[in-house]
Amino acid sequence: MAIVESDMPTSISELCCSPVLAGPLTPEAADDLATALKVVADATRLRLLGLIRTQPSGEACTCDLTEPLGLTQPTVTHHLRVLYEAGFLEREKRGRQTYYRIAPESMSVLCQALDPSPQLLAAG
């Protein structure tokens, strides 16, 4: 797990690479994309993204997320911090609570990297 937490070289919003199937990635782009994928390759983090995204307001505080996940507050906070540091979430402190929402470009960057245009697939 330490690799995910401390070695995130590039925030997901800054990740810029050609689609994986469009051609070879540079070693740096491949490392950055692999690190971003490691962050979301965790069942709890995927559930957190879904729970936050489906809230009526599009945001949630830690207190809203512990019960649906069946996890303790420190565990949920840890996963939220990893997602935030990787650029998948934005956060806002309101009094004693911290509210999280999906970073607007974070998911589209991953989708674009993994889903090349149909023309590229047909050419290959």
Side-chain angles (χ1 to χ4, degrees):
M1 276 324 233
I3 256 179
V4 171
E5 292 175 38
S6 63
D7 289 342
M8 185 65 186
T10 306
S11 172
I12 187 67
S13 63
E14 297 170 14
L15 224 168
C16 181
C17 62
S18 61
V20 172
L21 298 178
L25 297 173
T26 66
E28 182 181 89
D31 285 344
D32 289 346
L33 182 57
T35 302
L37 291 171
K38 286 178 190 177
V39 170
V40 294
D42 179 276
T44 298
R45 292 182 199 140
L46 287 173
R47 291 184 66 205
L48 279 168
L49 291 170
L51 284 167
I52 294 168
R53 177 68 179 94
T54 57
Q55 293 297 309
S57 63
E59 63 182 11
C61 72
T62 308
C63 61
D64 298 326
L65 301 168
T66 54
E67 187 177 328
L69 292 172
L71 298 171
T72 64
Q73 181 272 328
T75 301
V76 172
T77 299
H78 162 75
H79 287 291
L80 290 168
R81 181 177 49 81
V82 171
L83 287 165
Y84 170 76
E85 288 175 355
F88 287 100
L89 295 177
E90 295 176 346
R91 68 182 177 194
E92 179 182 341
K93 202 107 159 103
R94 297 184 200 156
R96 296 178 65 142
Q97 298 294 332
T98 303
Y99 286 80
Y100 294 87
R101 65 189 152 282
I102 305 293
E105 297 298 316
S106 64
M107 295 299 128
S108 64
V109 170
L110 280 182
C111 290
Q112 289 170 10
L114 297 174
D115 187 21
S117 68
Q119 297 84 3
L120 290 174
L121 289 177

